[in-house]
Amino acid sequence: MGRDDQWLDVIVVGGGIAGMAYATQLVEQAGFARPEPLRRRSARPVRVRIIAKEAVSGSNSFAAQGGMAAVLHPADSTASHVRDTLTVGEGRNDPAVVRRVVREGPAMVRALTGMGAVFDADATGRIALAREGGHTIARVVHHLDRTGAEIVRVLQERVRASPCITVIDEQAVDLLVDGGRCIGVRTRDPLTGIWTDRFAHVVVLATGGAGQVYLHTTNPPGATGDGIAMAARAGVPLKDMAFVQFHPTALYTGGTGTAFLISEAVRGAGAVLLRADGRPLMAGVHPQGDLAPRNVVARTIARVMARSRVPHVWLDTSPIGAERFAREFPAINAHCLEQGITPGRDRIPVMPAAHYLCGGIRTDGTGRTTLKGLLALGECACSGLHGADRLASNSLLEALVIPRHAAAHTLRTASKRVPGADRPVGEQAVPGKDHHTSVDHDAVMDALRRTMTRHAGILRSEHGLHQALRRIERAGMDAERAWAQGDRSAGMIALRNMVAVSRSIVLAALAEPFSAGTHWVSGVRG
Ligand code: SIN
């Protein structure tokens, strides 16, 4: 390998599919995944550090059940997939990005298969395609109800096998910016509490979503909007933050926090939403019925729940039958059985839950943000693919296609400036102990989640959004006080990020002149 100043040093924050896809693509495109004699002579050696606060099994990517949309059906076309994406996004998408991502879907499926990913096949041996909300044809490639985990498996094998990629188990705290350029990341070691400034030529944020700012979410506990908050603090513009997608069918248990997802593919297989009195919920609401765009289904359920004062509606899975359900949806089946529900026979109690942030850090179709040296990928980014609502199963596709372009862009343009050497910046918190201040994080987080759910969730009003903003500012003051009193714990870092993301969502919602997609304001026309 070359002299130290020839290295291209990259930090990826987030170890989910987008982060791993970028890291592996970068190494491959630089030629370093090939045996020595086949490498490009001119290639600059790359060194990628993936900073992940959690194991990949705790990521949204891993939890993705449904699958990845791609044009593979003989009766399907790129034009149709593009049209469905724009229809669900209500034209708020960037059409060039939509075309790029959709066009590359089939090749991406082939690439994953070539890497060893196994997707379900039909009786003829062709890839089986499921249907989900907003799609006018079956085009969702899946691995049972564990598609994310399957894609994670093959990417993780590559990450582990690459001597150029290291995974560091730390929490990113803030971006390091100097001279108008992102030069690294400040991190916190969860075991020692020690902070380190880590430097790189390029920093990539791939931190996932922010579902934890709501009371019910399908996202894992780590989805606290870290990358978005870090970018916002560094003055990097966000986009479309008003558009938060709620999945219509999370399992209702009576609890709060992370809720188990009942994949839309279950409705694709024939399950039907019912009101408390057993009447079909989506009848006459939308021509696509139970498979209407998610914002339509979630809003209908939210209205029914509010009017009837019930905490959930029902998903009738009897059209699928217990045997087929267990075969096609083994993970959902096992989870429901643990709860005493037999899918395919019993009705499943479901409710909407925050699922996907359509907005995020503003990027182009190669992951570039407005800050030099900083890229953003996956759910924390807003590439323009989704618009005002995301077409089901487009996000895994985006998380694989855009990183490929981002890696090529990095190799073409990365700064040659020598990054600084990593240096510890001191122990900021006592690990394993609560750093006592007068602020109780959990209570502030809970109040924030209740506010966001009540006023900035599925059904919004201008008055409610203003009220939310006032309460977020109060939570922000509590967080700042604790920070000033020296609380640098993991919980405090998460709370600070959740406040920043909540504020961005509410401010963006107040700035939207029309109701569109997932952003619906009472009395404001669409
Ligand atoms: C699902 O399986 O319903 C989720 C898929 C997605 O969010 O794209």
Side-chain angles (χ1 to χ4, degrees):
M1 300 255 180
R3 287 198 334 265
D4 224 33
D5 59 354
Q6 288 175 332
W7 285 96
L8 171 60
D9 261 306
V10 177
I11 289 179
V12 177
V13 184
I17 288 179
M20 288 198 290
Y22 172 86
T24 51
Q25 275 295 317
L26 191 72
V27 171
E28 264 161 49
Q29 290 182 29
F32 284 86
R34 300 187 200 119
E36 195 113 29
L38 297 178
R39 281 182 202 157
R40 273 193 286 138
R41 272 173 196 240
S42 58
R44 188 172 168 198
V46 296
R47 208 157 40 183
V48 186
R49 283 166 290 170
I50 297 180
I51 309 232
K53 70 175 179 179
E54 256 157 27
V56 68
S57 55
S59 69
N60 239 350
S61 303
F62 188 84
Q65 293 178 353
M68 190 171 100
V71 176
L72 295 174
H73 194 287
D76 199 2
S77 67
T78 300
S80 165
H81 189 180
V82 167
R83 200 165 41 245
D84 289 351
T85 303
L86 295 174
T87 303
V88 172
E90 297 200 11
R92 294 287 301 258
N93 331 54
D94 178 335
V97 173
V98 174
R99 280 194 295 273
R100 163 178 281 183
V101 172
V102 165
R103 225 175 13 231
E104 295 184 26
M108 198 45 78
V109 174
R110 282 193 297 276
L112 285 169
T113 309
M115 285 160 63
V118 178
F119 296 117
D120 296 346
D122 63 20
T124 68
R126 281 214 210 106
I127 287 186
L129 299 168
R131 215 177 130 199
E132 290 187 15
H135 290 276
T136 50
I137 192 167
R139 62 163 76 94
V140 179
V141 176
H142 50 92
H143 174 100
L144 298 169
D145 51 1
R146 293 192 291 253
T147 312
E150 179 64 4
I151 298 175
V152 162
R153 182 183 69 77
V154 294
L155 286 173
Q156 204 173 22
E157 273 172 16
R158 297 202 152 204
V159 165
R160 286 190 179 135
S162 173
C164 307
I165 306 175
T166 320
V167 180
I168 301 175
D169 302 326
E170 289 181 356
Q171 182 176 20
V173 180
D174 266 311
L175 296 173
L176 302 172
V177 179
D178 184 47
R181 178 170 197 99
C182 184
I183 56 164
V185 182
R186 175 164 292 179
T187 65
R188 176 184 183 275
D189 183 323
L191 298 177
T192 62
I194 289 178
W195 287 27
T196 303
D197 282 352
R198 299 188 176 279
F199 296 91
H201 293 101
V202 177
V203 173
V204 182
L205 292 173
T207 52
Q212 289 294 333
V213 303
Y214 292 94
L215 267 185
H216 303 110
T217 177
T218 61
N219 295 181
T224 48
D226 302 348
I228 298 169
M230 285 162 62
R233 282 194 290 273
V236 180
L238 310 180
K239 186 167 181 270
D240 289 349
M241 289 293 289
F243 302 123
V244 181
Q245 181 182 79
F246 280 72
H247 197 291
T249 55
L251 179 67
Y252 168 81
T253 59
T256 58
T258 300
F260 185 80
L261 179 69
I262 308 294
S263 174
E264 204 159 62
V266 172
R267 272 173 287 138
V272 179
L273 284 161
L274 303 177
R275 292 167 189 258
D277 61 8
R279 277 183 299 144
L281 190 128
M282 289 304 294
V285 176
H286 190 279
Q288 286 173 297
D290 284 88
L291 291 178
R294 283 192 188 155
N295 72 82
V296 177
V297 182
R299 196 155 47 246
T300 307
I301 295 175
R303 283 187 179 131
V304 165
M305 281 168 45
R307 282 187 200 137
S308 322
R309 295 177 188 280
V310 290
H312 65 81
V313 294
W314 295 102
L315 186 64
D316 178 13
T317 54
S318 62
I320 303 174
E323 203 186 308
R324 179 176 167 211
F325 198 105
R327 194 174 58 246
E328 292 186 12
F329 306 106
I332 300 173
N333 193 60
H335 189 92
C336 287
L337 288 177
E338 274 168 28
Q339 308 289 316
I341 303 163
T342 303
R345 185 195 74 187
D346 301 340
R347 293 175 177 177
I348 303 177
V350 290
M351 61 175 183
H355 183 60
Y356 192 88
L357 182 59
C358 302
I361 304 159
R362 193 171 88 200
T363 67
D364 64 7
T366 59
R368 258 188 314 177
T369 71
T370 57
L371 180 63
K372 281 203 195 92
L374 181 71
L375 304 180
L377 299 170
E379 189 173 348
C380 73
C382 180
S383 67
L385 174 66
H386 307 304
D389 193 7
R390 177 182 63 102
L391 182 66
S393 289
N394 263 357
S395 45
L396 286 182
L397 184 59
E398 180 189 35
L400 289 157
V401 169
I402 294 191
R404 204 169 67 75
H405 294 276
H409 171 79
T410 301
L411 292 173
R412 273 197 310 271
T413 60
S415 151
K416 290 242 170 16
R417 191 159 91 171
V418 182
D422 292 355
R423 54 170 183 263
V425 286
E427 194 173 326
Q428 303 278 342
V430 183
K433 282 189 197 165
D434 275 338
H435 191 96
H436 287 295
T437 71
S438 54
V439 177
D440 174 349
H441 310 146
D442 291 343
V444 179
M445 271 185 201
D446 188 59
L448 188 68
R449 289 181 174 123
R450 286 181 194 283
T451 295
M452 289 298 288
T453 304
R454 177 144 185 233
H455 298 300
I458 303 174
L459 305 174
R460 300 172 176 177
S461 72
E462 247 179 87
H463 173 75
L465 287 168
H466 281 291
Q467 204 159 336
L469 194 56
R470 281 194 293 277
R471 293 194 186 154
I472 291 165
E473 293 314 344
R474 218 176 300 152
M477 281 188 308
D478 286 340
E480 286 313 317
R481 195 170 71 248
W483 191 260
Q485 288 171 1
D487 184 349
R488 300 287 190 275
S489 60
M492 181 63 221
I493 294 166
L495 173 60
R496 214 170 146 235
N497 291 340
M498 288 166 66
V499 167
V501 171
S502 301
R503 186 187 290 123
S504 305
I505 291 172
V506 171
L507 286 174
L510 282 166
E512 278 295 329
F514 301 112
S515 290
T518 58
H519 169 69
W520 184 90
V521 182
S522 133
V524 175
R525 68 191 170 88

